[in-house]
Amino acid sequence: MEDIEGKVAFITGGASGAGLGQAKVFANAGCKVAIADIRQDALDAASAELKARGATVHPVRLDITDRAAFAHAADEVEAALGPVQLLFNTAGVSVFGPLERATYDDYDWMMGVNFGGVVNGMQTFVPRMIAHGQGGHIVNTASMAAFHAAGMAGIYSASKFAVHGITMAMRDALAKYGIGVSVLCPANINTNIAESIKTRPAHLSASGFAVDDAEIQALRDIYSQGMDPEELAQHVLAAVKRNDFYIIPYPEVRAGLEAGFQCILDALPPQDSDAEGQARRAAAMRRYQDARRAMDRARYGA
Ligand SMILES: NC(=O)c1ccc[n+]([C@@H]2O[C@H](COP(=O)([O-])OP(=O)(O)OC[C@H]3O[C@@H](n4cnc5c(N)ncnc54)[C@H](O)[C@@H]3O)[C@@H](O)[C@H]2O)c1
């Protein structure tokens, strides 16, 4: 999407950190921005800051795990600003601890916000974007944790692997509608995510992980050295204009990614082994894809 001017952007987590950075940068580029967040105080502050910079902003209080509320938020924003062409599923939360101690509440909270919130954003807006026919772009925020998983960040990583997967599939699904889809995989951003447990709802509060002031401070120390959210959002803007899939503006992650992908490649047998099996499986896949295309044309039209 080369022409950003005048577009409407809906940004979850838009009251803080990466989402607020996106609101600032896309407003500067001429967008009208809707910022959606679970925290009213943060929404008030962010919206005042954006207005002071001359932005057209519409704040909306939203828990992205609430599907009915998401639909209402979309209606409200469309009524205020017009159809949404840019969707940023940015809100996310994290809590870390030994995976074997995790509770169902730990799973439900992180999977619900980080993956479920992205799903709800796309379920809400994709049909609207297809219907208005103006094209658009969706940016889902994953993380470098979408490529590597460790025991202390297991559920967070699983939620981000899931965001990575659904985003890749959605890019394939939406290309024919002129809607681009990108996955943002930050390594470290200077944000307030160390405090995200403060947004954890009471009904999912039984955690297996101990979180105290010392842990929050240690996390703050790391994130305080992260990339500035506006600088990150400038990379997002450039990527949206070029329709890049991956947005990973961190040179330091190269060695880890290379080692990870090499490990996957090392698990494969030699390329020229099992020639007969390879040919049989490839032919079966081609037959299936041809049949599938014919069935889909009959079922869903072109
Ligand atoms: N900070 C980092 O280093 C880092 C690294 C990789 C990925 N990320 C990802 O970046 C994204 C943005 O996080 P951030 O670092 O800007 O943190 P942040 O805490 O500064 O901002 C996240 C915002 O999401 C909001 N939020 C939380 N739960 C919500 C819910 N249920 N409904 C609506 N809003 C909700 C919070 O109130 C907050 O304003 C997240 O998806 C996070 O996983 C962050």
Side-chain angles (χ1 to χ4, degrees):
M1 178 180 271
E2 302 238 335
D3 190 11
I4 298 291
E5 177 98 40
K7 300 287 189 292
V8 176
F10 187 101
I11 305 169
T12 72
S16 175
L20 181 54
Q22 290 160 353
K24 289 175 179 169
V25 165
F26 280 78
N28 264 353
C31 291
K32 295 179 266 185
V33 294
I35 53 171
D37 207 284
I38 199 168
R39 293 178 302 134
Q40 187 63 52
D41 54 343
L43 272 175
D44 293 342
S47 155
E49 191 183 349
L50 286 161
K51 278 184 187 144
R53 296 162 62 116
T56 303
V57 55
H58 185 88
V60 53
R61 182 154 191 211
L62 172 66
D63 176 350
I64 57 171
T65 67
D66 181 339
R67 293 170 175 168
F70 222 130
H72 288 134
D75 290 343
E76 182 187 317
V77 167
E78 283 176 353
L81 302 179
V84 170
Q85 296 90 7
L86 291 163
L87 170 63
F88 298 88
N89 288 307
T90 307
V93 292
S94 59
V95 59
F96 304 124
L99 184 55
E100 68 277 15
R101 302 180 73 99
T103 61
Y104 283 122
D105 279 7
D106 290 318
Y107 276 93
D108 289 347
W109 181 50
M110 268 182 281
M111 293 302 293
V113 175
N114 294 357
F115 179 61
V118 169
V119 169
N120 295 344
M122 294 197 297
Q123 287 288 101
T124 304
F125 280 106
V126 164
R128 293 168 192 244
M129 288 168 118
I130 292 172
H132 68 51
Q134 300 166 6
H137 203 100
I138 300 172
V139 179
N140 293 335
T141 297
S143 166
M144 283 313 294
F147 300 102
H148 305 287
M152 292 299 282
I155 305 170
Y156 181 77
S157 287
S159 72
K160 297 301 189 177
F161 270 67
V163 169
H164 181 185
I166 202 67
T167 307
M168 188 182 286
M170 197 57 96
R171 180 175 174 90
D172 181 44
L174 297 188
K176 62 177 176 284
Y177 299 102
I179 301 170
V181 185
S182 305
V183 65
L184 171 61
C185 302
N188 188 358
I189 327 167
N190 185 0
T191 71
N192 301 310
I193 199 163
E195 268 119 295
S196 72
I197 45 151
K198 293 180 185 161
T199 62
R200 187 168 176 150
H203 72 282
L204 295 177
S205 61
S207 181
F209 309 142
V211 179
D212 53 21
D213 289 347
E215 165 139 4
I216 292 179
Q217 191 50 52
L219 290 172
R220 269 201 205 116
D221 289 349
I222 309 174
Y223 298 125
S224 66
Q225 301 309 306
M227 187 178 287
D228 178 79
E230 279 186 73
E231 183 186 344
L232 181 62
Q234 291 291 356
H235 290 287
V236 173
L237 175 63
V240 167
K241 288 184 172 176
R242 289 191 302 258
N243 193 21
D244 295 344
F245 176 58
Y246 284 113
I247 314 173
I248 315 178
Y250 291 83
E252 68 271 28
V253 304
R254 178 175 295 273
L257 283 176
E258 278 175 354
F261 292 128
Q262 194 56 53
C263 182
I264 295 171
L265 294 175
D266 288 347
L268 302 180
Q271 211 168 351
D272 54 1
S273 62
D274 189 17
E276 186 271 328
Q278 289 197 53
R280 192 183 63 242
R281 292 187 292 269
M285 183 55 79
R286 274 194 303 275
R287 282 195 303 275
Y288 167 76
Q289 283 170 339
D290 289 346
R292 175 93 230 176
R293 266 191 291 276
M295 281 189 294
D296 285 353
R297 263 194 304 277
R299 287 165 173 160
Y300 311 116

